[in-house]
């Protein structure tokens, strides 16, 4: 018997709906940082069988540029392609609205995220040294690595293929 892919839907956050904070904190561990952008971004939600399992926030940072501010998938649903689909949705939205590029930022220790973003066509363009030391109260460790530096990646929409 062939496995059936779970039913999923990507939609915008509804009026009055609050983005799922437990998911947002998976991608950005400090609530004060999340609150700086939570109400400024357009949120996309992934629902699997009517349960929210993923979230992605995107914001215009310059007239030609969008930035993915937060993207997270429930740990029980990771590895099923939801993050890639969210990124694809952002890319398509950006293209149709005339944006030229999309930015995303992550930590130097976020190895799985760095791999995913590069598979989606992002390229590393800059490193902000000691970003997480300067802007976060708690030290962050992922994959046994101290997260100190922020890696900034960019995808050109004109040549983007997922």
């Amino acid at each position: 018997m062939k496995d059936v892919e779970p039913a999923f839907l990507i939609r915008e956050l509804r009026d009055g709906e609050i983005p799922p904070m437990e998911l947002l904190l998976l991608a950005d561990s400090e609530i004060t940082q999340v609150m700086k952008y939570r109400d400024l971004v357009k949120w996309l939600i992934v629902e699997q069988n009517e349960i929210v399992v993923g979230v992605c926030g995107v914001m215009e940072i310059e007239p030609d540029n969008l930035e993915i501010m937060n993207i997270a998938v429930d740990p029980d649903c990771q590895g099923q392609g939801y993050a890639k689909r969210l990124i694809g949705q952002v890319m398509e939205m950006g293209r149709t609205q005339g944006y030229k590029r999309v930015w995303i930022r992550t930590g130097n220790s976020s190895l799985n995220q760095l791999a995913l973003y590069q598979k989606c066509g992002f390229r590393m363009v800059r490193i902000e040294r000691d970003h997480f030391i300067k802007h976060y109260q708690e030290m962050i460790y992922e994959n046994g690595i101290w997260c100190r530096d922020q890696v900034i990646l960019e995808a050109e929409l004109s040549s983007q293929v997922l």
Side-chain angles (χ1 to χ4, degrees):
M1 181 175 193
K2 186 178 177 184
D3 289 334
V4 177
E5 185 173 303
F8 78 95
L9 166 73
I10 296 178
R11 63 171 176 83
E12 290 185 24
L13 195 70
R14 296 182 184 111
D15 287 340
E17 187 178 11
I18 298 170
M21 191 60 72
E22 68 280 0
L23 291 179
L24 301 182
L25 291 172
L26 291 174
D28 195 342
S29 62
E30 204 156 292
I31 195 164
T32 56
Q33 296 296 326
V34 172
M35 295 309 290
K36 288 179 183 178
Y37 59 79
R38 189 189 80 176
D39 297 329
L40 302 174
V41 303
K42 174 185 257 184
W43 291 104
L44 299 175
I45 300 294
V46 176
E47 288 183 347
Q48 178 184 37
N49 300 321
E50 300 182 14
I51 297 169
V52 174
V53 298
V55 63
C56 179
V58 63
M59 178 168 72
E60 180 179 276
I61 55 169
E62 294 174 2
D64 290 341
N65 298 326
L66 293 173
E67 182 172 342
I68 295 174
M69 302 298 293
N70 188 309
I71 183 167
V73 174
D74 183 293
D76 292 338
C77 298
Q78 290 177 5
Q80 297 179 34
Y82 294 128
K84 189 172 185 178
R85 290 176 177 133
L86 280 166
I87 290 169
Q89 186 82 14
V90 170
M91 299 294 195
E92 184 58 30
M93 181 180 72
R95 264 191 225 95
T96 60
Q97 294 177 8
Y99 290 96
K100 293 191 171 136
R101 65 193 61 80
V102 176
W103 297 82
I104 194 162
R105 299 166 187 256
T106 194
N108 62 282
S109 57
S110 300
L111 304 180
N112 291 335
Q113 293 87 332
L114 284 166
L116 169 67
Y117 303 152
Q118 291 176 85
K119 288 176 187 176
C120 290
F122 284 86
R123 298 190 63 193
M124 293 180 216
V125 293
R126 196 168 71 245
I127 294 174
E128 288 186 16
R129 294 175 59 97
D130 296 329
H131 173 84
F132 292 97
I133 295 169
K134 293 174 186 171
H135 299 285
Y136 285 71
Q137 298 290 321
E138 301 288 325
M139 292 174 64
I140 301 168
Y141 284 89
E142 295 174 289
N143 301 302
I145 302 168
W146 182 17
C147 183
R148 296 169 45 168
D149 304 324
Q150 185 177 72
V151 180
I152 298 114
L153 300 98
E154 166 191 271
E156 297 285 338
L157 293 178
S158 59
S159 62
Q160 186 61 37
V161 178
L162 282 179

